[in-house]
Amino acid sequence: MFYKSLLIKYAEIGTKGKNRFMFEDALIKQMRRALKHVEGEFQISKESGRIYVEALGDYDFDEAVEELQKVFGIAWICPMVQIEEKDFENLKREVVSYIDQVYPDKHFTFKVDSRRADKNYPVPSEQMNRDLGEVILEAYPEMKVDVHKPDVYVRVEVRNQVNIYSQMIPGPGGMPVGTNGKAMLLLSGGIDSPVAGYMIAKRGVKIDAVYFHAPPYTSERAKQKVVDLAKLVAVYSGPIQLHVVNFTDIQLYIYEQCPHEELTIIMRRYMMKIAEHIAKETGSLALITGESIGQVASQTVQSLAATNEVCTLPVFRPVIGFDKQEIVDISEKIHTFETSIQPYEDCCTIFVAKHPVTKPNINIIHKSEMKLQEKIDEMMAAAIETREVIWCD
Ligand code: ATP
Ligand code: MG
């Protein structure tokens, strides 16, 4: 492969002042993890506001780029040529040969954009722009300069070495995972919650997950589907610790004691309570759900308020304002869609009433929940105690 190095540009983490090194280190950690899956050996280094990936020997360029495109915090991946010999005459030859290698067809406009980070370099950047532009035009008369809207910026950075690059491949943006605390995702087997987890992880938040199942009403295969989804989200978020909670007894108890049209909403409240308990126990600072206003009866504004009422941690609902199709689009992009649409039963759907309340009255819900008083605390403690923890990577 012609390119031996990649220049990694980050966006927002550049603005973090003194904490920048923490962000850079977190980014490098995630990059290392991503590149583990790629054929070849890589060295990652940083130099004042720049991160470099250098291939030590043969490697698969496309695969490396594809993996890096999953690392939150990367704004741009720039395939780059690095030259150690900084002499300006040599640099001219290198730039001309770079253009030849990268652009077989030379019918395009360009602008040279030079930067002199090494202030001792004898040629000022303005002059570098002019002189390099000139030698390029001499070598390839079919190319044209356009200083306002060039097709290609030929970027030349003089540092300890000289970096030459012109291609910029977009990264996923966001912030490196691990720089913004940890949150607990309520992960079902549906389309929405994996997308919600992805979106919060993209902001640098580490993710744990909790899944409620109801054996024997829900199958082992339904559980496996959630494990598969957690692994797919983990491609972006890093390893996810999945807490699988047996919800059967609680669901049956609610079913016995409470009006059936309130079942879903009461169940959702207990899910949130249990999730919050595990979150606090394991260091998560918030909950995440895939709820979207109005999508189903349990997601009307009134229902969301009723669900929210039991939580003291903030609840992040990143897809709250999205239409279903918008959520589907993201799930396709992150490759969770195919798994999400596999038809396995969900614990929520098993006991649903024909006509669930859509505007729950919180006082009435409280009253119904009084009927659970005798056993519910004990049952919740048992559900938390007996949970299974699965490492998804
Ligand atoms: P999803 O597509 O994420 O399953 P949904 O449209 O099916 O969402 P609901 O079933 O009402 O909606 O669930 C709303 C949210 O509650 C989900 O996005 C998820 O965060 C959480 N949730 C629902 N069921 C479960 C479950 N069995 N285990 C863990 N979390 C759940
Ligand atoms: Mg669901």
Side-chain angles (χ1 to χ4, degrees):
M1 179 63 205
F2 169 61
Y3 290 118
K4 273 181 57 202
S5 310
L6 304 168
L7 166 62
I8 303 299
K9 292 196 175 187
Y10 46 77
E12 285 180 59
I13 66 170
T15 63
K16 300 293 171 192
K18 279 190 195 147
N19 289 333
R20 192 162 87 181
F21 77 95
M22 269 173 38
F23 283 75
E24 288 174 338
D25 290 350
L27 181 57
I28 289 173
K29 186 174 160 201
Q30 299 303 329
M31 286 168 56
R32 286 222 167 88
R33 179 172 177 269
L35 288 171
K36 260 196 224 144
H37 308 291
V38 182
E39 215 182 285
E41 216 185 306
F42 302 92
Q43 189 173 301
I44 303 177
S45 57
K46 57 177 180 175
E47 182 193 27
S48 52
R50 292 273 183 271
I51 293 178
Y52 301 120
V53 177
E54 194 187 338
L56 310 171
D58 283 347
Y59 75 111
D60 188 324
F61 174 81
D62 293 333
E63 229 178 61
V65 169
E66 195 184 312
E67 289 304 316
L68 290 171
Q69 279 184 307
K70 296 173 189 160
V71 177
F72 296 138
I74 294 182
W76 299 99
I77 302 161
C78 312
M80 167 183 80
V81 167
Q82 275 195 322
I83 53 175
E84 302 294 332
E85 177 55 67
K86 282 161 78 170
D87 166 75
F88 194 47
E89 290 310 310
N90 181 56
L91 179 55
K92 286 179 183 170
R93 283 192 293 276
E94 293 283 0
V95 169
V96 167
S97 122
Y98 169 87
I99 300 271
D100 200 29
Q101 300 251 27
V102 179
Y103 302 101
D105 176 5
K106 300 191 174 53
H107 290 88
F108 60 88
T109 62
F110 76 103
K111 175 183 177 176
V112 178
D113 180 12
S114 306
R115 262 180 222 181
R116 195 174 54 143
D118 169 8
K119 295 296 174 208
N120 294 324
Y121 196 66
V123 190
S125 48
E126 274 307 309
Q127 192 189 332
M128 280 169 62
N129 288 344
R130 271 197 311 274
D131 291 2
L132 291 172
E134 224 164 77
V135 290
I136 292 171
L137 286 173
E138 259 167 44
Y140 311 117
E142 55 283 44
M143 288 176 64
K144 289 202 166 47
V145 172
D146 180 346
V147 290
H148 301 294
K149 258 192 141 203
D151 299 324
V152 171
Y153 281 92
V154 179
R155 294 187 159 90
V156 177
E157 293 181 347
V158 182
R159 294 171 169 259
N160 289 331
Q161 69 296 324
V162 184
N163 300 333
I164 306 171
Y165 64 97
S166 58
Q167 295 176 310
M168 292 177 70
I169 304 163
M175 295 186 184
V177 171
T179 55
N180 271 324
K182 187 165 80 166
M184 180 65 79
L185 169 66
L186 282 90
L187 182 61
S188 67
I191 295 169
D192 308 327
S193 44
V195 170
Y198 166 87
M199 289 177 71
I200 297 300
K202 185 164 183 246
R203 299 305 301 164
V205 180
K206 193 171 160 28
I207 303 279
D208 277 349
V210 55
Y211 165 60
F212 296 92
H213 70 158
Y217 303 98
T218 62
S219 63
E220 201 43 39
R221 194 61 199 82
K223 176 175 127 186
Q224 186 56 43
K225 174 184 171 184
V226 174
V227 171
D228 293 345
L229 283 171
K231 286 183 179 169
L232 289 170
V233 175
V235 166
Y236 303 90
S237 69
I240 292 177
Q241 211 168 24
L242 174 67
H243 302 262
V244 180
V245 175
N246 187 328
F247 205 50
T248 313
D249 290 348
I250 294 176
Q251 259 184 313
L252 289 172
Y253 189 45
I254 300 172
Y255 191 73
E256 272 165 27
Q257 303 292 326
C258 301
H260 290 180
E261 64 275 12
E262 293 168 13
L263 206 73
T264 308
I265 203 78
I266 293 175
M267 229 171 60
R268 304 265 318 123
R269 283 162 61 92
Y270 283 101
M271 276 190 186
M272 296 302 260
K273 278 192 199 184
I274 293 173
E276 178 167 284
H277 185 100
I278 300 173
K280 286 179 174 168
E281 205 180 278
T282 53
S284 278
L285 303 171
L287 302 177
I288 307 166
T289 75
E291 290 160 313
S292 150
I293 295 175
Q295 202 186 76
V296 286
S298 59
Q299 295 175 31
T300 62
V301 173
Q302 293 86 346
S303 298
L304 287 165
T307 312
N308 209 66
E309 194 213 25
V310 299
C311 303
T312 58
L313 288 180
V315 182
F316 299 152
R317 300 179 171 91
V319 301
I320 195 75
F322 283 10
D323 294 346
K324 192 74 189 185
Q325 189 56 48
E326 292 172 303
I327 304 173
V328 166
D329 289 346
I330 299 177
S331 78
E332 284 177 334
K333 188 182 89 180
I334 66 172
H335 308 296
T336 52
F337 183 72
E338 285 302 316
T339 305
S340 287
I341 58 171
Q342 287 172 11
Y344 297 106
E345 64 294 331
D346 179 45
C347 74
C348 290
T349 53
I350 287 166
F351 302 94
V352 286
K354 274 216 182 74
H355 302 289
V357 283
T358 52
K359 293 179 184 159
N361 176 317
I362 201 72
N363 296 320
I364 296 175
I365 298 290
H366 285 170
K367 232 188 209 160
S368 302
E369 285 181 355
M370 297 286 273
K371 297 177 190 137
L372 302 170
Q373 244 174 357
E374 197 185 324
K375 287 204 281 184
I376 195 73
D377 286 346
E378 196 185 308
M379 291 173 105
M380 280 204 292
I384 291 164
E385 177 77 20
T386 60
R387 72 183 188 267
E388 180 190 359
V389 181
I390 301 175
W391 188 253
C392 302
D393 192 4

